[in-house]
Structures are given as structure tokens and as C-alpha cells.
Amino acid sequence: MKKHSVVPTAFHASGTRVAVLSAAHFTADMLGGLLPGFLPVALKYFRIDLGMGVIILTCMSIGCNLMQIPASLLGRETRTPRLLTVGLVMAGMIVLLAAMPETTPVIVLCLLMAAVGAGIALVHPHGLRGTQHIGRIASSISVPAFMTGGFLGSAVGPWVSALLVGSFGLKGLYWMALPVLAVILALRLSNVKLAPDRHAPSSDRSPAGKNAPAAPGEDCPWSFRSLCLIATLLNTGTLTIQALLPSYLVALDFTLSFGGFSAMLFGAGSAAGSIAIGFLVRKYRNAPFVLGGLVPGIPVVLLYFLFAGHPASCLLIMLGGLLASSCYPLLVSMSRRAEGTLPMSARMGIIVGGTWGIAGIALLAIGQIASRIGLAPVMHLSWIFYLLSLIAALLTRNGNARSLPVPGK
């Protein structure tokens, strides 16, 4: 007699698995985005200044980014998502902040946030390996969908934490255990599998490999090193906004919830742009979306910080996210075919974890500067880093990118 599963077959569909992996990324990055949203309350509760608060933020940033490189080397041949589950449980440890007394030493807070960050780190490279195992959906769709889940999580995190902490105090963080349990259950039910580690397609040095035409949307006019430079500068600008915008708006006498809401709008704009790009690159070339977003996005972000004191200007930061930071998932996708010989998981660990980790270290310096001269001038570093990213993109193009095709041909 044939054995039937109690799980509906729809749970095993390719689209469902992409959705579950994206939800895992959403949840992990939402947990990582909680602290910026309630940082002003945490600073007051634990009686620490902004400089020390940014150090705690940086510990989490280093944990969830630089740790992705060694995390990508774990379980390279493992097909089951056990490390994804472990990562989600570790990321959920951020709720322990609600159980700590006011006199908790800063070093303990740093260690806890580093552990939370390490859990988030596990989710990224192994989640990306999961997207590579879904053969019925093109990587130009599955990878941006996965990355967009993270953008949305980072966007929602500050707003959710501002609402929960604003309403229930730090005890409101306990509600965050529910989405963690839900995603772990969904991973189990959908039977997600991970692709084994392998070398990237660009490692093919044969004449046929060099001359073979790139698939639509997968050409890359930059080397892998150049992509890492562009992404590092881009992510530093983005992280400056994500980490410090709620505190900046509270300093401008806005409510905690408005600060979290504005940070969410920035992330929502980034996510919307990422989704649009993910579909458009199936027909058009990649480079114009990187350059075409940064060129108008930089002045939009500049205008926002010039008029941030007006509540309606929050629409500008949403537009700035849509234009300036939304090309990052495209950089991740292009890194698979960029010139270089690193295997896929190493590339994913570096382009995701390495670039964000360096951005986190830069944030440490930015935070110390802000604690001395104030947040208002420091926030302008965000668009300056976007400008540096644009300059790097223009200077490091290898000139082999194909021109845009005529629509309809």
C-alpha cells in the first residue's frame, strides 16, 4: 500500500519553498533590525550612551555579517536545513534582552548580540544554497526574492520593535518568539533542501566557457572583487540609515514609532525596487539598473536629510531606498557569474557577509563620531557612501557589458 503524507503537496511546490526561504530570511533580518528601532529605550534602560549603544549594534553587525564567511563553510555537502533552524533559534535569543536587569554589564550585552548576529549569519549562506536547489524557478527570480525577504525584514524590524517596546516595554520582545517558531515549522513541512556547494560557473576556463553567451540577466561587467567594493560602499550607506535613522528622528523630537516607521519606509522602498529589478533583469542587462538607481537616488537621500524635520519628508527616504539601495540583491546575483574562481558558498559568504561586516565596522567609527558631534551631520555620510559606490562602479567596469536589447526583440 502506498504511503501518503499528511502534508499537502502544495507545501512541496517550488514557489512554496522560495516563499519559506524568503520568510526565513525575513524573520532573521527582522530580528536583526529590532535593536535600532528601540535603541533609544535600551540606552535609557541600561543607562549607556549612544557611543556604547553603537558598539553593541556593531557587535551584532559583525556577528551576523563577518560570521557568514565561516558559516558558509559549515555543512557544505549537507542537504537538510538544520543550520537554518539553529540560526533562527540563535537569532531569536534577542528576546533575552527583556529578561536582563538594568545593571547588566555592556560586555554581556555585546556577547548576547554577537550570538544573535551569529545566528542570523547561519541563515544567509545556507538559505541562498536553498534557492539554488529550486530548479524550476530561475535564479534571477529566486535569489532576489530571497534577498527581498531580508530587505523587508530589516525594514519591518525597527517599526515592529518600536510598536512592541513602546506599548509593552522591553517585555514586548517576547512576541518575537512566535514568528521564529512558525518559520521553523514551515521549513519542516515544505521539505526544503539545500544545493551542495560547487564552483561558480565563471571558474570554467575553457574556450567554450569563455565564449559561451551569458543567459539573459546574468551578464556581469564587473569582476567579483569589484562587486565586493561596490557592495561594501553601498551597504555602508544603507547601514548608516538603517541603524541610526530612528535615533536621529527621536533626536528631532519625533516619536519612537515614527522613527521606526520611517526606517520601515526606507527598507520597503529598497524591497520594492529589488522586486522590480528581479523581474526586469530577465529581459534587460544588469549594469543600467546599478548605475541608473544610484544616479537619481543620491540627491534624493541628500534632500531627505536636508528636510528630515518635516514629517512628509519620510516619502523621500522611501524613494531614496527604492533608487539607491535596491540594486544590492542584483550585485549578489551577478556575483555568481562574475570573473573569479571561488566556489558558490564562499562567494555568497563574502558578497553578503563580508561586505555587510565591513560596513558594520565602518558604522562603529561613524557611531563614535556621532556621539561627539551629533547625529545630524553624520547622517549625511549615507549619501556620500552611495556616491563613492557609484564612482567605484563607473571606474571598475571592464567594458565587456552588452548594451540593452530593444524591448520586444
Side-chain angles (χ1 to χ4, degrees), residues 272-356:
S274 300
I275 294 172
I277 289 174
F279 283 96
L280 290 172
V281 295
R282 300 179 68 187
K283 188 173 183 180
Y284 300 101
R285 299 295 131 191
N286 294 319
F289 292 101
V290 177
L291 304 177
L294 284 170
V295 170
I298 291 167
V300 168
V301 176
L302 169 60
L303 283 173
Y304 169 74
F305 286 111
L306 291 177
F307 298 99
H310 301 277
S313 66
C314 63
L315 297 178
L316 283 175
I317 199 59
M318 183 177 184
L319 180 60
L322 187 148
L323 294 171
S325 70
S326 61
C327 66
Y328 170 68
L330 181 58
L331 300 178
V332 175
S333 182
M334 284 192 292
S335 70
R336 296 175 60 249
R337 296 187 65 90
E339 179 185 348
T341 58
L342 290 174
M344 181 179 64
S345 62
R347 287 179 178 234
M348 295 298 101
I350 293 172
I351 194 70
V352 178
T355 60
W356 281 106

Side-chain angles (χ1 to χ4, degrees), residues 45-59:
Y45 178 80
F46 292 110
R47 300 171 188 173
I48 54 181
D49 60 19
L50 178 62
M52 295 303 296
V54 173
I55 290 176
I56 296 171
L57 273 172
T58 303
C59 287

Side-chain angles (χ1 to χ4, degrees), residues 31 34 38 45 92-101 160-161 164-165 168-181:
L31 294 168
L34 294 180
F38 69 91
Y45 178 80
M93 289 169 57
I94 192 172
V95 303
L96 295 179
L97 282 174
M100 292 187 170
V160 168
S161 65
L164 291 176
V165 173
F168 306 104
L170 290 180
K171 303 295 183 184
L173 294 176
Y174 288 137
W175 288 100
M176 289 293 98
L178 296 179
V180 173
L181 295 175

Side-chain angles (χ1 to χ4, degrees), residues 353-370:
T355 60
W356 281 106
I358 296 173
I361 293 174
L363 179 66
L364 178 61
I366 292 170
Q368 301 312 306
I369 295 172

